[in-house]
Amino acid sequence: MTKPPDIDRNVGSASRRRFLREGSALLGGAVIAGGLAGSEARAAENTGNLPPNVPEWMKTPGDPMGTQPYGAPSPFEKDVIKNVSKTLPQYLSASGRTPLQDLDGIITPNGLFYERHHGGVPTIDPAQHRLMLNGLVDRPLIFTMDDIRRFPSESHIYFLECSGNPEYKKPYGKTASDLVGLLSCAEWTGVSLKLVLQEAGLQPGAKWVVAEGADSAAMTRSIPIEKCLDDAMLAYSQNGERLRPQQGYPLRLLVPGFEGNMNVKWLRRLHVTAEPAYSREETSKYTDPMPNGTAREFTFYMEAKSIITRPSGGQRLTAPGFREISGIAWTGRGKVSRVDVSVDDGKSWQQAQLQEPVLTRALTRFRLPWHWDGKPAVIQSRAIDETGYVQPTLAELLAVRGDNYVYHNNAIWPWRIAEDGEITNANA
Amino acid sequence: MTKPPDIDRNVGSASRRRFLREGSALLGGAVIAGGLAGSEARAAENTGNLPPNVPEWMKTPGDPMGTQPYGAPSPFEKDVIKNVSKTLPQYLSASGRTPLQDLDGIITPNGLFYERHHGGVPTIDPAQHRLMLNGLVDRPLIFTMDDIRRFPSESHIYFLECSGNPEYKKPYGKTASDLVGLLSCAEWTGVSLKLVLQEAGLQPGAKWVVAEGADSAAMTRSIPIEKCLDDAMLAYSQNGERLRPQQGYPLRLLVPGFEGNMNVKWLRRLHVTAEPAYSREETSKYTDPMPNGTAREFTFYMEAKSIITRPSGGQRLTAPGFREISGIAWTGRGKVSRVDVSVDDGKSWQQAQLQEPVLTRALTRFRLPWHWDGKPAVIQSRAIDETGYVQPTLAELLAVRGDNYVYHNNAIWPWRIAEDGEITNANA
């Protein structure tokens, strides 16, 4: 944990004021003089008159109410879908990434929430679904979904992130989604796991809870009891409506800030134990070999991380001028306290503005006003969280972790902007 | 604005503690002894063994990745759709209500966001869409969507509510959605309208901005300049993704806390003026005749309001016992400061717990632990906002506003619970 470096906190503000003074430079006058016919410009100056070009969609009625009982995006947004590789050998154990560079704010709409599963998505009848709670408890219990929903509820905005986001061997992603798209954020509603465990009564010696999912892969992870008695939840709603099948319908475990796959989907069993299960997904996978021959296991926290989503890889800047640099930052340890942005390949850093309110274990949107001068540039962001931890560079991570590390890649991702405005992954 | 009444602030806490002591009463032992075969209960007691009934969906692979490039809800949630009357004479000018009683938290998922339009939903090509800004400005401007997106952006969670939610003459709704379903809440991203107006330069005498939409009904509302220079936005994203067509794709005006139809969808023109336009939708409609022969006009703010969503109309309590009363509260004036709940037909009130963080001009979720004794009951909520304003009863509103009032019905909505657990609108 390094001391946050000194940075120039005023440069960002100066850029913003310059934008406002050079306001018309934003549009470059192109909107009035260059891009429009003279008649439109004159029409714009006649106060109160409609411009001559009334669009077709104003002249005829649109779609009647009820055309879409459950609404869908515009057909003009048909390319904004989950990012799934087209060249996988099979699709039952696979990942679907959120198209981060096409999104704004911090909420991920449910249809674009990232997916990662190991045996396909089950279709579960909620009336048949059961959650069993057994092991070192006074009263083993089996809950229906109605039982779960009768507990007192709570709602929180939390991010979820897969631990292999990305895996180290694959930093060749083209877009923000390719790189860190196994990341989403929603408002979750459910019951505090602590309340549920208290229903059963924990026995002395209870140190872990082994959570098992009801999909064909039966994802199994061991959760430390301290987390279970802290902010862990059994969630049944995301962004207001019931969980999506891809996110665990009808019930999932939520362990805010912890590795994605610990948030077991299609939750069917909580087995309270003295020892962890050492399941496949916390031994064969989700452990990291270190250079000295040992391996890290049970690395629960997703550490502070950030990425610029705009302008970012796969996009193109069409002309020099004002650009807002925008991105997201997050940390499993609590709140993001600061995000720095560099526009000169890491030589200097400026403090970005954080969108308030900054929430615990949720995404935080950051922004920095910037003026692109048309020359090649490398832009990047780094997050600092409330513990003082600073997001490291890839080189710093590899120096500590070596070549065989797989998970918890929270490196800084720089974007290279070419003279023609094309944007690529500077690490690839 | 009445002084908030004294209420017993401790009763809610006592109920919560009783729930925890009587913990097993939640499940009534029915889960173990009554509902299950003996073999399942024994299996639950054998630590580490799977119960004998492994569900079918664990035995075969689920849907492969990519089955849904843009995810959809579970088929078991097929009845959770927008609430549209089946008996309207036509569907081009109509309302689609959010199914509030089926939702949790404060975020409304985009597919269930309420709709109200007057000429159907247009399909607009964002590349063709233009926003004209003219009138009392130094520089009339025409913006493309690319221009709008190049401004500095901001994101906020705000509610939107139609002013006729419900109209006074129709308090016969069966469910929370029937009554106040023209209400939703999302995270909006866009540009501050103030910044955009500064681009054009406001001239002296500029007192209003007349906003016009590009649908076939060309919704037109006049917005006071103070609001335009305060927190008004031009929004292009909702809950992270681009606006839905039903919510104004590709661009809408957002005037947080103000009447729903002032948040003009499919925004095509901002005309800066000295006087309001007195458009149809602020004269023929959206004005309220008072008993003394005058009419209220330009009643901008949506005042403090709340409703219990669970248990609520159309639902049924299956048995006595612990129930969490849950609902939503909101105010266009800023933050909800308190919500009181009565379970005895208004004789006494208890303070409900508010889900933190409480946000300005957003929905606030409230909850109260409650134990239903199986007897008939009337439950209701009332919101108090940061100005001290208290949500009134329907009788109090009608006494002031008379019989010809239409809009701004923010009355308390009580639910009647019968002995058989059926829940109905106590005002119908």
Side-chain angles (χ1 to χ4, degrees):
Chain A
M1 304 215 181
T2 57
K3 181 180 181 302
D6 290 338
I7 49 125
D8 176 4
R9 293 189 186 189
N10 292 326
V11 180
S13 307
S15 295
R16 190 176 176 86
R17 287 191 295 274
R18 185 178 67 194
F19 157 73
L20 294 174
R21 282 198 305 273
E22 296 176 10
S24 56
L26 169 72
L27 307 160
V31 174
I32 292 296
L36 298 181
S39 63
E40 281 182 355
R42 285 194 296 276
E45 286 160 9
N46 290 333
T47 60
N49 289 346
L50 286 170
N53 53 337
V54 174
E56 283 313 303
W57 44 80
M58 280 193 84
K59 300 179 189 173
T60 114
D63 291 337
M65 184 69 62
T67 302
Q68 288 183 0
Y70 189 95
S74 164
F76 290 95
E77 298 297 324
K78 64 174 170 41
D79 294 334
V80 182
I81 54 176
K82 275 187 253 214
N83 174 10
V84 179
S85 168
K86 292 181 174 46
T87 60
L88 300 176
Q90 54 74 36
Y91 283 82
L92 281 177
S93 176
S95 302
R97 290 167 167 75
T98 294
L100 299 170
Q101 62 276 0
D102 295 317
L103 300 182
D104 296 301
I106 66 164
I107 297 292
T108 308
N110 288 345
L112 296 173
F113 207 98
Y114 90 87
E115 299 181 55
R116 173 61 173 124
H117 29 87
H118 301 256
V121 179
T123 302
I124 296 180
D125 179 353
Q128 304 300 321
H129 187 73
R130 296 291 182 270
L131 172 65
M132 179 166 65
L133 171 48
N134 67 347
L136 294 176
V137 293
D138 297 330
R139 285 175 299 284
L141 296 167
I142 295 181
F143 301 95
T144 64
M145 285 308 301
D146 284 346
D147 292 330
I148 296 291
R149 287 192 59 86
R150 284 185 58 197
F151 278 92
S153 62
E154 47 188 70
S155 304
H156 304 279
I157 296 175
Y158 291 133
F159 78 85
L160 267 187
E161 184 185 13
C162 177
S163 187
N165 190 38
E167 295 181 354
Y168 274 88
K169 293 183 175 50
K170 302 174 188 172
Y172 48 67
K174 189 170 136 183
T175 67
S177 178
D178 293 339
L179 279 171
V180 296
L182 300 177
L183 165 77
S184 302
C185 183
E187 182 201 36
W188 306 95
T189 299
V191 52
S192 153
L193 178 53
K194 178 175 179 177
L195 270 184
V196 177
L197 293 175
Q198 287 174 340
E199 272 295 295
L202 293 175
Q203 293 187 336
K207 289 278 182 288
W208 293 84
V209 175
V210 180
E212 177 189 79
D215 59 331
S216 64
M219 168 64 68
T220 301
R221 286 289 316 245
S222 311
I223 322 293
I225 198 79
E226 298 80 10
K227 184 66 170 179
C228 297
L229 298 175
D230 183 21
D231 59 357
M233 293 171 61
L234 301 183
Y236 42 75
S237 290
Q238 71 183 87
N239 288 331
E241 61 185 351
R242 297 291 193 272
L243 288 183
R244 290 300 182 82
Q246 296 89 347
Q247 277 76 55
Y249 181 90
L251 188 71
R252 81 175 300 158
L253 176 63
L254 214 72
V255 279
F258 277 23
E259 293 183 307
N261 81 342
M262 298 179 76
N263 295 261
V264 174
K265 299 187 286 281
W266 314 292
L267 187 70
R268 76 183 295 256
R269 191 153 78 110
L270 295 167
H271 183 205
V272 183
T273 58
E275 300 290 337
Y278 290 106
S279 71
R280 174 187 190 267
E281 301 297 343
E282 55 199 19
T283 52
S284 166
K285 302 289 177 182
Y286 297 92
T287 53
D288 289 287
M290 301 291 286
N292 65 1
T294 65
R296 282 181 178 166
E297 64 179 14
F298 297 126
T299 322
F300 300 133
Y301 282 101
M302 302 307 295
E303 299 289 355
K305 197 159 166 181
S306 70
I307 193 158
I308 291 170
T309 55
R310 188 172 57 246
S312 70
Q315 297 170 350
R316 177 185 292 273
L317 296 181
T318 50
F322 175 80
R323 299 289 169 184
E324 179 182 73
I325 292 174
S326 175
I328 42 181
W330 62 102
T331 173
R333 299 272 183 187
K335 290 187 180 182
V336 170
S337 58
R338 201 176 90 216
V339 177
D340 302 333
V341 171
S342 169
V343 298
D344 56 11
D345 205 2
K347 296 183 188 60
S348 65
W349 296 83
Q350 308 170 45
Q351 185 171 331
Q353 185 178 26
L354 304 183
Q355 177 68 62
E356 298 288 334
V358 174
L359 303 172
T360 293
R361 299 188 171 122
L363 292 186
T364 294
R365 174 64 61 174
F366 67 86
R367 301 178 176 100
L368 183 80
W370 179 52
H371 190 95
W372 183 45
D373 58 9
K375 300 195 175 72
V378 174
I379 64 175
Q380 56 197 296
S381 65
R382 74 182 171 200
I384 295 106
D385 74 15
E386 62 178 83
T387 71
Y389 176 94
V390 181
Q391 180 181 8
T393 65
L394 186 57
E396 286 169 343
L397 276 182
L398 291 173
V400 172
R401 300 179 181 180
D403 291 339
N404 292 319
Y405 214 87
V406 176
Y407 300 98
H408 291 281
N409 183 348
N410 64 323
I412 292 169
W413 293 111
W415 299 114
R416 182 181 309 283
I417 303 174
E419 199 142 358
D420 65 358
E422 192 190 5
I423 306 171
T424 54
N425 177 353
N427 272 349
Chain B
M1 307 220 180
T2 57
K3 182 178 182 300
D6 289 338
I7 49 124
D8 177 2
R9 293 190 187 190
N10 292 325
V11 177
S13 305
S15 296
R16 191 176 175 85
R17 289 194 292 274
R18 183 179 67 196
F19 158 73
L20 294 174
R21 283 198 303 273
E22 295 176 10
S24 57
L26 169 73
L27 306 161
V31 175
I32 292 294
L36 298 181
S39 63
E40 279 184 356
R42 285 196 296 276
E45 285 162 5
N46 289 331
T47 59
N49 290 346
L50 285 171
N53 54 336
V54 174
E56 283 312 302
W57 44 79
M58 279 192 87
K59 301 178 188 173
T60 115
D63 290 336
M65 183 69 63
T67 302
Q68 288 182 0
Y70 189 94
S74 165
F76 290 94
E77 298 298 322
K78 64 175 169 40
D79 293 333
V80 181
I81 53 177
K82 275 186 251 214
N83 174 10
V84 179
S85 168
K86 293 180 170 50
T87 60
L88 299 176
Q90 54 76 35
Y91 283 81
L92 280 178
S93 178
S95 303
R97 291 168 167 74
T98 294
L100 299 170
Q101 61 278 0
D102 296 317
L103 300 182
D104 295 302
I106 66 164
I107 297 292
T108 309
N110 288 346
L112 296 173
F113 206 99
Y114 90 87
E115 300 182 53
R116 173 62 173 125
H117 28 86
H118 301 256
V121 179
T123 301
I124 296 180
D125 179 352
Q128 304 301 321
H129 187 73
R130 296 291 183 271
L131 171 66
M132 180 166 66
L133 171 48
N134 67 349
L136 293 177
V137 294
D138 296 331
R139 286 175 298 282
L141 296 167
I142 297 182
F143 302 96
T144 64
M145 285 308 301
D146 284 347
D147 293 331
I148 295 293
R149 288 191 59 87
R150 284 184 58 196
F151 278 92
S153 62
E154 47 188 70
S155 304
H156 305 280
I157 296 174
Y158 291 132
F159 77 85
L160 267 187
E161 183 185 14
C162 178
S163 186
N165 190 39
E167 296 182 352
Y168 274 86
K169 292 183 177 52
K170 303 175 188 173
Y172 48 67
K174 188 170 134 180
T175 67
S177 178
D178 293 339
L179 280 171
V180 296
L182 299 176
L183 165 77
S184 302
C185 184
E187 182 201 38
W188 306 95
T189 299
V191 51
S192 152
L193 177 53
K194 178 176 179 177
L195 269 185
V196 177
L197 293 175
Q198 286 174 339
E199 271 296 293
L202 293 174
Q203 292 187 339
K207 289 278 182 290
W208 294 83
V209 175
V210 180
E212 176 189 80
D215 60 330
S216 66
M219 168 65 67
T220 301
R221 284 291 316 244
S222 310
I223 322 293
I225 198 79
E226 297 81 10
K227 185 64 171 182
C228 298
L229 298 175
D230 184 20
D231 58 358
M233 293 170 64
L234 302 183
Y236 42 74
S237 289
Q238 71 183 89
N239 289 331
E241 62 184 351
R242 297 291 192 273
L243 289 181
R244 291 299 182 82
Q246 296 90 345
Q247 277 76 56
Y249 182 91
L251 187 70
R252 80 175 300 158
L253 177 63
L254 214 72
V255 279
F258 278 22
E259 294 181 307
N261 82 341
M262 297 178 76
N263 295 262
V264 175
K265 299 188 287 283
W266 315 292
L267 186 69
R268 78 182 294 257
R269 191 154 76 113
L270 295 167
H271 183 205
V272 183
T273 58
E275 299 291 337
Y278 290 105
S279 70
R280 174 186 189 269
E281 302 297 345
E282 51 199 24
T283 51
S284 165
K285 301 290 177 183
Y286 297 92
T287 52
D288 289 288
M290 301 290 287
N292 65 1
T294 65
R296 282 183 179 166
E297 64 177 16
F298 297 126
T299 322
F300 299 133
Y301 282 101
M302 302 308 296
E303 298 288 355
K305 197 159 164 180
S306 70
I307 192 159
I308 291 170
T309 56
R310 188 174 56 248
S312 69
Q315 297 171 350
R316 177 185 292 275
L317 295 183
T318 50
F322 174 81
R323 299 289 169 184
E324 179 182 73
I325 292 175
S326 176
I328 42 181
W330 62 101
T331 174
R333 300 271 184 186
K335 290 188 180 182
V336 169
S337 58
R338 203 176 89 216
V339 177
D340 303 331
V341 172
S342 169
V343 297
D344 56 10
D345 205 2
K347 296 183 189 58
S348 65
W349 296 84
Q350 308 169 46
Q351 185 171 333
Q353 186 178 27
L354 303 184
Q355 177 69 62
E356 297 288 334
V358 173
L359 303 173
T360 294
R361 301 188 169 124
L363 292 186
T364 293
R365 175 65 60 176
F366 67 85
R367 303 178 175 100
L368 183 80
W370 179 50
H371 190 96
W372 183 45
D373 57 9
K375 301 196 176 70
V378 174
I379 64 174
Q380 58 198 296
S381 67
R382 73 182 171 200
I384 295 105
D385 74 14
E386 61 178 83
T387 70
Y389 176 94
V390 182
Q391 181 181 8
T393 64
L394 187 57
E396 286 170 343
L397 275 181
L398 290 173
V400 171
R401 297 178 182 181
D403 290 337
N404 292 318
Y405 214 87
V406 176
Y407 300 99
H408 289 281
N409 183 348
N410 65 321
I412 292 169
W413 292 112
W415 300 113
R416 181 180 312 283
I417 302 174
E419 199 141 1
D420 66 357
E422 192 190 6
I423 306 171
T424 54
N425 178 355
N427 270 350

